[in-house]
């Protein structure tokens, strides 16, 4: 997907990028490749692939009307190089984005990136989601939590749902069908006070299938969740 194909694809969804936004995406790509030589951010560095599999893929929640242009609080768990939250932030600057990542080197990259792109209202937190999920400053504070290829849904639910306000939504972006994951996570989702609402199935312009699970928080998560760091992955609910 060339830059122009990216712009045209967005335009077909009613999104017309400003010159500034086009420059932001291009600078994002340049910094991603530059930093990737120093630290492992992504295996995808070919420009056309970055625009397709990182930028276009990341903004799917906007393209499919799951997130609108409002100053909502969005938390991105394990964002790595900033996906999916920062491409969405470029499209909708009003989003208030918080990113939690366990690796300081990635936080350093995201700090530099945010400055270079002049992104405001971006908060970067170094640490484990399990620890921040027990912190009253972050627990129950977000309208949306996003996660892209972070963990199986049974694990991911415990890492994300505690952060949501009541009626807040988890958007789990997946590359493959996850009916089995959903069945496996049913108990965890209910235990954490949430409910599976729907699944959005779509294709990237190259035909690759993608899916988003939308899970909504219905009541307060029991205080013992999330459990201590590492436990959700070792012993899913």
């Amino acid at each position: 997907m060339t830059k122009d194909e990216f712009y045209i694809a967005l335009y077909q969804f009613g999104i017309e990028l400003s010159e500034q936004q086009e420059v932001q995406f291009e600078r994002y790509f340049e910094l991603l490749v530059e930093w990737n030589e120093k630290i492992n951010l992504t295996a995808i560095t070919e420009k056309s692939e970055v625009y397709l599999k990182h930028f276009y893929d990341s903004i799917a929640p906007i393209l499919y009307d799951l997130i609108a242009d409002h100053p909502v609080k969005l938390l991105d768990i394990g964002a790595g190089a900033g996906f999916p939250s920062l491409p969405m932030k470029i499209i909708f600057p009003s989003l208030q984005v918080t990113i939690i990542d366990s690796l300081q080197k990635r936080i350093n990259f995201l700090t530099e990136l945010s400055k270079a792109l002049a992104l405001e209202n971006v908060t970067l937190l170094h640490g484990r989601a399990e620890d921040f999920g027990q912190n009253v400053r972050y627990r129950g504070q977000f309208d949306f939590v996003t996660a892209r290829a972070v963990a199986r849904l049974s694990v991911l639910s415990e890492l994300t749902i505690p952060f949501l306000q009541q009626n807040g939504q988890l958007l789990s972006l997946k590359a493959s069908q996850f009916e089995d994951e959903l069945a496996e996570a049913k108990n965890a989702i209910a235990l954490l006070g949430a409910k599976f609402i729907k699944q959005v199935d779509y294709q990237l312009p190259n035909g690759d299938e993608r899916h988003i699970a939308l899970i909504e928080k219905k009541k307060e998560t029991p205080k013992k969740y999330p459990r201590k760091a590492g436990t959700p992955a070792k012993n899913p609910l």
Side-chain angles (χ1 to χ4, degrees), residues 159-171:
L159 300 180
T160 55
I161 291 171
F163 290 99
L164 289 168
Q165 299 176 3
Q166 189 165 333
N167 299 319
Q169 297 177 340
L170 163 62
L171 304 179

Side-chain angles (χ1 to χ4, degrees), residues 153 172 174 176-183 199 211-213:
L153 207 50
S172 175
K174 297 281 187 176
S176 57
Q177 291 280 359
F178 55 96
E179 281 80 4
D180 290 344
E181 280 193 44
L182 196 56
Q199 176 176 323
H211 312 273
I212 301 175

Side-chain angles (χ1 to χ4, degrees), residues 164 167-170 193-197 214-218:
L164 289 168
N167 299 319
Q169 297 177 340
L170 163 62
K195 181 182 179 181
F196 171 74
I197 301 298
L214 192 154
I215 294 165
E216 189 167 283
K217 187 168 181 175
K218 295 298 187 181

Side-chain angles (χ1 to χ4, degrees), residues 78-165:
F83 308 125
S85 57
L86 294 189
M88 288 196 287
K89 173 71 174 174
I90 293 173
I91 300 291
F92 287 165
S94 63
L95 294 177
Q96 299 175 30
V97 172
T98 299
I99 291 174
I100 294 175
D101 200 277
S102 60
L103 191 64
Q104 183 63 54
K105 289 180 180 179
R106 287 197 289 259
I107 294 294
N108 293 344
F109 164 71
L110 294 171
T111 300
E112 179 70 22
L113 178 69
S114 297
K115 289 179 182 176
L117 303 188
L119 300 178
E120 298 178 349
N121 290 318
V122 173
T123 302
L124 304 171
L125 303 173
H126 171 235
R128 299 289 295 258
E130 296 96 325
D131 297 327
F132 282 108
Q134 288 292 354
N135 187 322
V136 294
R137 289 182 61 190
Y138 306 104
R139 184 182 180 91
Q141 298 299 311
F142 294 91
D143 301 291
F144 293 96
V145 179
T146 57
R148 182 173 176 254
V150 172
R152 290 184 68 81
L153 207 50
S154 55
V155 176
L156 185 66
S157 296
E158 188 173 356
L159 300 180
T160 55
I161 291 171
F163 290 99
L164 289 168
Q165 299 176 3

